[in-house]
Amino acid sequence: MSSDPFLEKFLSGTDELILDNVKKFCERYLTDDVIKKIEETDAIPNSIVEEAKNFGLFGIRIPAEYGGVGLDLLPSLIVQEIISSYSLSVGVYLDQTLFVEPLKKYGTEEQKTRYLRKIVERGVTTTSAMTEPEAGSDVLSITTQAVREGDGWRLNGRKTFITMGDQANLFIIFAKTSQRKDKDSLSAFLIEKGKRGLEIGQPIKKSGQLGTHINEIFLNDVFVDSNDVLGSIGQGYEIAMYSYFYGRLVVAAQALGLAEGLMRKSVNYSLIRNAFGQPINKFQLIKDYLAKMDVMIETAKSMIYRTALFENNPLFPEYSSISKLYATEVSTDVARMAIKIHGGLGITYDAGIERALRDSVIQEIYEGTNEIQKLIISKSATEKYKG
């Protein structure tokens, strides 16, 4: 985190101050009791949302001219890392990446002023709706249609597994504006909650990341004005890929935070839990677990931080996929070892260790499954090393 000496040359004094405030927010408001309540109710308390807004956590990557904090990529990832080390669900809830990053790059000035200010000032949550029942990683297979009508577009279709579906107020909806199956056939549309014809299904029950929901979304003759087209017609695929480059890196940072939170708990538990007359931290098996966990965490950290520094480099997409693949697998492996260190306590609900395993497995699926990341990385590696 920000105490890492490596970061001193990359973080400003303002960055450090903000990161210290994020830690204070987590220590004060993301207590064990609050996190248990989130798990029990499958909801983020309004008090947390309000305090997050007061701390500026809804505007971390939003430029100052729109009321945001305007952090560079590296410190913004560390913000997610810190929050997720306390609660991955809160980290996911506060993350605006898939809406904010494409809006910053492709949005008109009017769109950015209208939506970015709303996110900061009202603590508005956002999401991106791509996945459909028959179209997950293969985004060009989506069937949601946008048909030109007057000075706008009429949308019809169905989305599924949309993160924050019923909790978000702002949506980027991807739809086909051409019958072809090519990269020019998709377009992106900005839609607000409450739009006529936009229906949100009940939350789909899942095992982890409770407090954040996934939903089906139904678009029944939803009319979108031409002013709410993001970018240009036919630019949807490009926008989606751009979003995922950032989204995958954020998932990696969240996974890193989750693993660090488990490491903290595991070390402290190993120092106070006695067996055979001594703390279990003295046993070689426990030392082996802790060493493996630390090596994986530090390796993932190095990958993620390096990738953040390559934001404007052609290697950024590949490094983002590598970071996502490795960090999410690390968090799952660390969760399994943390359970073993805690023994029987590790599988109990109150200890909160098994929750991390449930949370982590989900990370290996969204923002492009880890299997898809391997395909992307393999293609990049072939180009780098051939000849």
Side-chain angles (χ1 to χ4, degrees):
M1 296 182 187
S2 61
S3 60
D4 191 329
F6 167 80
L7 294 173
E8 290 180 2
K9 65 180 293 186
F10 299 109
L11 298 178
S12 68
T14 300
D15 293 337
E16 292 280 8
L17 179 61
I18 291 170
L19 296 178
D20 285 341
N21 283 334
V22 172
K23 290 179 184 177
K24 291 175 182 177
F25 164 81
C26 294
E27 291 169 355
R28 188 179 307 169
Y29 299 108
L30 301 184
T31 62
D32 288 343
D33 288 341
V34 169
I35 293 170
K36 286 179 184 177
K37 183 178 179 181
I38 291 173
E39 184 86 352
E40 291 166 356
T41 61
D42 194 19
I44 307 296
N46 288 333
S47 58
I48 297 296
V49 176
E50 284 301 311
E51 292 299 336
K53 183 175 68 173
N54 293 338
F55 273 80
L57 297 180
F58 282 92
I60 289 298
R61 283 282 284 170
I62 294 176
E65 58 262 39
Y66 304 106
V69 178
L71 285 186
D72 289 338
L73 183 56
L74 177 57
S76 75
L77 292 172
I78 300 173
V79 168
Q80 274 293 331
E81 179 187 347
I82 294 171
I83 296 172
S84 300
S85 73
Y86 288 82
S87 170
L88 179 62
S89 292
V90 174
V92 171
Y93 188 93
L94 296 177
D95 177 38
Q96 312 287 331
T97 302
L98 295 184
F99 188 94
V100 168
E101 294 300 335
L103 181 59
K104 282 162 51 180
K105 180 175 175 63
Y106 296 96
T108 65
E109 187 58 36
E110 189 277 332
Q111 290 171 339
K112 287 186 281 190
T113 300
R114 187 193 338 166
Y115 293 121
L116 294 180
R117 286 198 171 278
K118 189 172 295 187
I119 292 169
V120 174
E121 295 170 1
R122 302 185 189 178
V124 166
T125 50
T126 65
T127 193
S128 174
M130 174 70 75
T131 303
E132 297 184 0
E134 301 299 327
S137 299
D138 182 11
V139 298
L140 293 180
S141 291
I142 73 169
T143 59
T144 296
Q145 296 288 322
V147 178
R148 172 73 78 176
E149 182 176 308
D151 191 34
W153 297 82
R154 186 73 65 178
L155 275 62
N156 284 279
R158 173 189 173 194
K159 303 292 184 177
T160 192
F161 294 120
I162 304 305
T163 303
M164 302 282 294
D166 65 341
Q167 295 163 303
N169 297 88
L170 300 173
F171 302 80
I172 295 179
I173 303 289
F174 291 88
K176 298 278 279 190
T177 45
S178 167
Q179 295 303 311
R180 303 187 310 273
K181 187 179 179 180
D182 58 31
K183 294 181 180 179
D184 297 324
S185 64
L186 286 181
S187 299
F189 300 86
L190 299 167
I191 296 180
E192 294 195 50
K193 189 174 186 177
K195 188 82 168 177
R196 183 188 295 272
L198 178 67
E199 298 180 12
I200 312 298
Q202 292 297 311
I204 300 169
K205 291 184 178 181
K206 53 183 171 61
S207 60
Q209 298 187 18
L210 299 180
T212 62
H213 301 166
I214 56 174
N215 306 76
E216 287 192 307
I217 294 178
F218 303 93
L219 298 118
N220 302 310
D221 284 332
V222 176
F223 182 78
V224 180
D225 189 271
S226 59
N227 290 330
D228 274 331
V229 173
L230 181 60
S232 58
I233 293 299
Q235 206 171 15
Y237 183 84
E238 177 185 330
I239 292 171
M241 294 303 104
Y242 180 84
S243 305
Y244 288 151
F245 298 156
Y246 284 91
R248 287 163 185 160
L249 192 55
V250 169
V251 172
Q254 292 170 336
L256 172 61
L258 180 64
E260 287 179 309
L262 287 166
M263 186 70 174
R264 184 169 59 228
K265 290 182 178 179
S266 296
V267 167
N268 290 328
Y269 180 76
S270 74
L271 292 171
I272 63 172
R273 174 72 167 94
N274 289 318
F276 301 99
Q278 62 181 346
I280 63 172
N281 187 273
K282 299 291 186 180
F283 292 105
Q284 187 60 45
L285 180 60
I286 301 301
K287 291 180 179 180
D288 184 64
Y289 284 144
L290 294 176
K292 288 179 179 177
M293 292 161 72
D294 193 39
V295 168
M296 290 191 293
I297 286 170
E298 292 300 325
T299 304
K301 184 182 297 186
S302 297
M303 287 182 177
I304 294 164
Y305 291 178
R306 182 181 73 160
T307 303
L309 299 175
F310 272 73
E311 180 180 5
N312 298 313
N313 189 285
L315 291 172
F316 181 68
E318 177 193 1
Y319 285 3
S320 180
S321 288
I322 291 173
S323 297
K324 194 269 185 183
L325 170 66
Y326 186 75
T328 56
E329 291 185 349
V330 162
S331 68
T332 300
D333 289 342
V334 166
R336 290 194 179 100
M337 285 187 276
I339 289 172
K340 292 179 180 179
I341 290 171
H342 284 78
L345 186 65
I347 60 171
T348 63
Y349 170 81
D350 286 338
I353 306 300
E354 56 81 34
R355 177 178 65 241
L357 182 59
R358 290 186 281 110
D359 288 349
S360 182
V361 169
I362 298 174
Q363 292 184 305
E364 297 186 29
I365 299 171
Y366 54 47
E367 302 307 328
T369 66
N370 280 7
E371 288 70 30
I372 290 296
Q373 303 315 309
K374 291 174 183 177
L375 295 178
I376 294 170
I377 296 165
S378 174
K379 182 179 179 180
S380 296
T382 300
E383 290 299 314
K384 279 195 300 184
Y385 291 100
K386 71 180 181 180

